[in-house]
Amino acid sequence: MAPSWEQLWPYRAVLAVDAANFSANNSKVMQQVNADIQQLLAQSLGAVGLAGRWEQREFPQHTGDGYVAGLDPEVLPGLVGCFPDALSQALSGWRRDHPGQPPLRLRVSIHVGPLPVSGLGVPMVETHRLLDDQALKGLLARANPEVTNTVVIISQRVYEDVFDSGLATGGVGASQFSGRLVRVKTFEKPAWLHVPGLDWRLADSSLFDVLEVEPATSETGSAPEAEPTPRLGGVTFNNSGTHAAQGYHQSNYNTFGGQ
């Protein structure tokens, strides 16, 4: 008798968003903001050619202060590459249409993995753990709300699948993401942060509460002539691959930049 086994659920990209300072609103405003978020998602995804995919989204549900849904994984290059900027532009338009109201700002999380049609599973939980990352929240909290309205975090799996493929992403490259180790409750995995328009190589390294700055050492133990790299608590990604994402090891540091 053949051994019993189960077929793996289909891979699904998971897109989740949360609004900043949502709890400061009254109940009526909360309802309107949540409805606006869904409209803004449809608008920005339509702007990058994903309107049809969005209409066919799976396990869609509002999360009180946000929204989550599943999409076909083949759209990940668009979600990672041009969707964040399109969302930022849509949010800027929302602000112009709502003078006198606090700017609507969103945190975005993108993950991928096998999920049933219900959406219940580990990848869904991990998508929300990424969304709760303190560095992601801190970026939006420290940013000028009149300028920055969108911050994004993608999982290591998404990062590798998109950038190792070499497929076009709409102009956004791996170097526009900054790697860190996310620790939320029992979740502890590497992920990548992105802010539309931000050059991480020019960013103030104190964004992640720098522990120290150390020069990398050569195999002989001597420091190279290159300037030291800002390093932070978390994980160091090696440079063995085209996009510096072929592997990682846990340590007391984390380096800026994807390349």
Side-chain angles (χ1 to χ4, degrees):
M1 186 174 182
S4 176
W5 61 276
E6 295 179 295
Q7 183 172 308
L8 188 68
W9 293 309
Y11 264 51
R12 292 179 169 93
V14 185
L15 170 65
V17 300
D18 269 0
N21 300 321
F22 185 80
S23 60
N25 299 310
N26 60 41
S27 297
K28 184 175 181 179
V29 174
M30 285 182 179
Q31 294 178 30
Q32 184 58 55
V33 167
N34 192 276
D36 288 347
I37 288 174
Q38 295 181 51
Q39 293 177 4
L40 288 163
L41 288 172
Q43 176 185 338
S44 52
L45 287 164
V48 298
L50 293 177
R53 299 298 186 108
W54 185 243
E55 291 176 358
Q56 298 173 1
R57 61 191 181 278
E58 299 178 274
F59 45 82
Q61 54 187 296
H62 77 79
T63 58
D65 57 353
Y67 195 77
V68 63
L71 295 164
D72 294 331
E74 56 261 35
V75 306
L76 280 171
L79 285 181
V80 169
C82 35
F83 164 68
D85 185 65
L87 179 61
S88 179
Q89 293 184 37
L91 287 166
S92 295
W94 183 95
R95 177 172 169 265
R96 290 191 298 269
D97 295 337
H98 296 78
Q101 293 191 29
L104 178 56
R105 299 177 297 151
L106 296 177
R107 303 191 315 276
V108 180
S109 174
I110 302 172
H111 191 25
V112 67
L115 282 170
V117 293
S118 66
L120 297 176
V122 171
M124 176 63 76
V125 173
E126 293 183 341
T127 301
H128 289 285
R129 293 290 181 262
L130 293 172
L131 204 57
D132 286 336
D133 176 47
Q134 289 304 310
L136 185 72
K137 292 182 177 181
L139 284 174
L140 202 55
R142 296 179 61 172
N144 182 343
E146 307 296 327
V147 177
T148 301
N149 54 35
T150 304
V151 293
V152 181
I153 188 167
I154 67 174
S155 66
Q156 173 73 8
R157 184 183 297 179
V158 169
Y159 182 92
E160 291 179 349
D161 286 351
V162 170
F163 293 115
D164 286 352
S165 72
L167 296 171
T169 62
V172 173
S175 63
Q176 291 171 267
F177 289 77
S178 178
R180 65 176 269 98
L181 184 66
V182 175
R183 294 186 179 96
V184 179
K185 297 184 178 179
T186 59
F187 176 84
E188 184 172 321
K189 289 188 178 182
W192 296 82
L193 298 173
H194 173 66
V195 180
L198 175 63
D199 184 345
W200 285 106
R201 297 185 183 184
L202 299 178
D204 181 356
S205 56
S206 67
L207 285 172
F208 290 150
D209 297 325
V210 173
L211 299 178
E212 58 184 300
V213 175
E214 289 187 352
T217 57
S218 65
E219 293 182 358
T220 61
S222 59
E225 295 182 359
E227 294 191 9
T229 302
R231 312 188 78 173
L232 304 104
V235 57
T236 300
F237 289 83
N238 66 39
N239 294 319
S240 61
T242 304
H243 302 293
Q246 297 303 305
Y248 69 91
H249 67 273
Q250 295 185 15
S251 69
N252 293 324
Y253 310 108
N254 182 33
T255 51
F256 276 118
Q259 289 184 331

